[in-house]
Amino acid sequence: MAVQSVTDATFEAEVLRSELPVLVDLYADWCQPCKQLSPIVEQVSQELAGKIKVVKVDVDANPMVAQTFRAQSSPMLLVIAEGRVAQHHVGVLDKPGILRLLEPVMPRAAAEVRPEELAMWLQQGKALPVDIRDAASYGRYRIPSAIHVPANELAGRVEELQPFDGRIRVLYGRSEEAKEWGEKLQADGVQVGYLAGGFLHWEADGLEVERG
């Protein structure tokens, strides 16, 4: 989906009243960093069509929007959900950075568990991590308290994945593999979750890792 141009006159209807979360690119024609950011924003718009709305506003031509959001530097990105600013960033941002900016407002699958959620559930005794990587990887380092059920054994060890003790099982390993298994098991009636971003995301967020 192409990035839509929005003005002072259309901002309320197109952005503040939007049913979808909106990524707003505040730019100026003379701004070189804005020109660097523009194709990245276009790419995000294409990839997330139907999940978020992406618009751009020329701050020189639309002073009301610029003043409302104190856009004193360009480019500036806003994430607006339900009429309120959820996130903002000033300056050029790469694609992974924009996706991280959007993450809090993105719709997600019922089985998906974010790292900060899993960390909180572990503290509360509400979750049990299930490491689906190979034995060597599990032996080197893992999420604290995790049990090991390799991906190729999941189908035959479904009983271990049931929350019989009140703790939801959360699969983690390589992001896509855990997601595929989580969704497959959920479809089969097994109430599991999977860790968004995989073990790499957990580590990148600086969350606790058990070694050895």
Side-chain angles (χ1 to χ4, degrees), residues 79-93:
V79 178
I80 296 180
E82 299 179 349
R84 298 183 178 183
V85 177
Q87 298 270 58
H88 76 281
H89 177 85
V90 177
V92 177
L93 201 57

Side-chain angles (χ1 to χ4, degrees), residues 39-55:
I40 304 172
V41 171
E42 289 275 0
Q43 189 178 3
V44 169
S45 178
Q46 296 289 342
E47 291 187 9
L48 299 182
K51 296 180 179 178
I52 64 159
K53 185 176 185 177
V54 182
V55 305

Side-chain angles (χ1 to χ4, degrees), residues 94-207:
D94 60 12
K95 182 179 166 187
I98 293 177
L99 294 178
R100 282 195 296 272
L101 203 66
L102 289 166
E103 190 175 274
V105 301
M106 286 289 291
R108 54 177 173 152
E112 182 181 288
V113 179
R114 292 177 179 146
E116 65 273 16
E117 287 178 319
L118 178 55
M120 182 176 66
W121 291 353
L122 290 177
Q123 287 182 342
Q124 297 170 344
K126 294 180 178 179
L128 180 66
V130 180
D131 193 317
I132 66 170
R133 300 173 299 161
D134 60 82
S137 297
Y138 173 77
R140 282 196 299 272
Y141 50 94
R142 57 198 164 270
I143 294 175
S145 78
I147 62 170
H148 184 226
V149 182
N152 61 1
E153 297 180 18
L154 282 168
R157 296 172 64 180
V158 170
E159 286 300 317
E160 296 175 54
L161 305 177
Q162 299 286 4
F164 60 87
D165 56 1
R167 293 186 294 171
I168 185 172
R169 274 50 177 168
V170 180
L171 311 181
Y172 75 88
R174 287 188 294 110
S175 177
E176 284 306 310
E177 186 174 41
K179 178 181 178 181
E180 287 173 12
W181 271 107
E183 291 177 347
K184 180 181 184 303
L185 289 164
Q186 278 252 347
D188 291 341
V190 184
Q191 296 304 304
V192 299
Y194 65 86
L195 182 62
F199 189 59
L200 289 176
H201 194 166
W202 178 272
E203 283 192 296
D205 284 359
L207 296 167

